[in-house]
Amino acid sequence: MWLPALLCMLTQLGLSAGGSDTTDPDAIFAVNNVTAATDTMVQPHFDNSTKREYTAAVGQPAYLHCRVKNLSDRSVSWIRKRDLHILTVGVHTYSSDARFAALHTDGSDEWSLRVAHAQPRDSGGYECQVSTEPKISLSFWLTVVVSKAEILSGPELFVRAGSDINLTCIARHAPDPPSFIYWYRGANVVNYAQRGGISVETEQRTRTSRLLIARASPRDSGNYTCAPSSSDSASVVVHVVSGERPAAMQSNAIQTTSNYALVLLLTLNIRKEFIDTILHSIMTLYFQTKLKYTSTPSVISR
């Protein structure tokens, strides 16, 4: 007798007994999560135009927005489908993880779940539930991605004095266009007033920013960092060189380093005994040669 009663209770809760999470968002959206059409005018029901798939960057806050019409005195809860954990009820948090919080403005029909400092483990399915009889729920899917900026020139750039420094930064995998992209030289924001010829062009749609420094001089050398608002930063070390072409300078630097490494390796591998043998041979040859030339005049005098 207890088994049917238990199954009935689980059905009313709107939860599956397994508590497993699927990696397919379409699977959780296939469930009918709304009340009958005849009841929508008087009973609580969801706004089906609400966005149900969200993407957030690692370390940034993630938001899931649930809109409930005709809520009356019923309560709204957020459930994590992976482990059936109740995260919030109303505006109260029921999780030991303080990153989860419910957001609601009095008089509005929107109940949002905020996940502060989102992590990849937060990816998965969530449910917005309303305490009707039986309960109704709407499924959501959150994907947390690693968003990192990239400077197309690579980690190091050589520029000849008098040429332009042209750096392009892309905020790859950013879930939303960044609100801003700052450029730093060292620990300081690039100062446009410090000298003329500096310009920045940022395209939010393509998540791209370009830094141009005209007529570069050696004092423009340094570590340049691109820092989008919603992505990890990226840096490049810029060398402004005079005289030699940058390519030649790099080639000479590589050759010098290789030669130095070869000499050092040979020096370390030569044994002390071998050095002593070489020195002994040199000294022996020296004395034999000296003896030969000092004895020659006496032979001729005879």
Side-chain angles (χ1 to χ4, degrees):
M1 296 296 295
W2 59 269
L3 182 57
L6 178 60
L7 292 175
C8 180
M9 183 172 63
L10 288 175
T11 302
Q12 291 180 352
L13 287 174
L15 303 174
S16 63
S20 60
D21 197 12
T22 176
T23 57
D24 183 10
D26 294 333
I28 67 170
F29 295 153
V31 180
N32 182 14
N33 289 315
V34 296
T35 56
T38 57
D39 296 331
T40 57
M41 298 303 295
V42 294
Q43 294 292 327
H45 61 279
F46 296 106
D47 181 353
N48 284 333
S49 64
T50 303
K51 180 181 177 180
R52 297 169 63 188
E53 292 187 65
Y54 292 86
T55 303
V58 170
Q60 300 296 318
Y63 296 91
L64 306 180
H65 303 287
C66 180
R67 213 169 270 161
V68 184
K69 305 289 187 180
N70 299 333
L71 182 61
S72 186
D73 60 348
R74 309 303 172 86
S75 62
V76 176
S77 304
W78 280 98
I79 312 295
R80 183 170 56 202
K81 291 179 67 68
R82 180 179 71 241
D83 52 7
L84 305 181
H85 184 61
I86 299 175
L87 301 172
T88 65
V89 177
V91 294
H92 303 288
T93 301
Y94 284 82
S95 173
S96 59
D97 191 340
R99 296 179 306 122
F100 292 96
L103 305 178
H104 174 70
T105 302
D106 290 340
S108 75
D109 56 8
E110 187 167 291
W111 297 80
S112 301
L113 176 68
R114 181 184 66 191
V115 186
H117 306 291
Q119 300 299 316
R121 67 177 183 273
D122 297 320
S123 297
Y126 294 82
E127 276 189 1
C128 174
Q129 289 190 353
V130 179
S131 60
T132 54
E133 192 62 38
K135 293 182 182 298
I136 60 173
S137 62
L138 190 65
S139 295
F140 294 79
W141 188 269
L142 173 64
T143 302
V144 181
V145 298
V146 178
S147 177
K148 182 173 177 59
E150 178 185 353
I151 297 178
L152 299 184
S153 60
E156 197 167 18
L157 177 66
F158 290 84
V159 177
R160 186 168 49 178
S163 301
D164 296 341
I165 298 175
N166 196 339
L167 302 177
T168 300
C169 174
I170 301 178
R172 297 193 182 279
H173 308 298
D176 297 301
S179 302
F180 56 83
I181 299 179
Y182 286 152
W183 284 94
Y184 292 85
R185 181 173 176 267
N188 302 314
V189 176
V190 172
N191 191 343
Y192 305 95
Q194 188 174 10
R195 54 155 290 186
I198 299 179
S199 63
V200 172
E201 295 181 1
T202 300
E203 298 178 3
Q204 290 189 332
R205 183 179 60 83
T206 59
R207 299 164 169 80
T208 301
S209 181
R210 296 180 179 86
L211 171 65
L212 176 66
I213 302 177
R215 301 177 302 279
S217 66
R219 66 181 180 181
D220 293 315
S221 299
N223 186 77
Y224 287 81
T225 300
C226 164
S229 59
S230 59
S231 303
D232 292 341
S233 61
S235 297
V236 57
V237 178
V238 177
H239 304 274
V240 180
V241 296
S242 301
E244 285 186 280
R245 291 181 178 272
M249 193 191 93
Q250 293 180 70
S251 177
N252 292 339
I254 295 173
Q255 185 64 41
T256 301
T257 303
S258 300
N259 292 341
Y260 176 79
L262 180 61
V263 172
L264 180 61
L265 181 62
L266 291 175
T267 302
L268 292 176
N269 287 333
I270 295 177
R271 297 179 179 274
K272 183 177 182 301
E273 294 81 5
F274 184 61
I275 295 176
D276 292 341
T277 302
I278 294 176
L279 290 175
H280 178 73
S281 300
I282 293 174
M283 294 301 295
T284 301
L285 180 61
Y286 171 77
F287 284 113
Q288 288 178 348
T289 304
K290 183 178 180 180
L291 180 62
K292 176 181 179 182
Y293 282 101
T294 54
S295 59
T296 301
S298 60
V299 175
I300 295 176
S301 61
R302 293 177 183 178

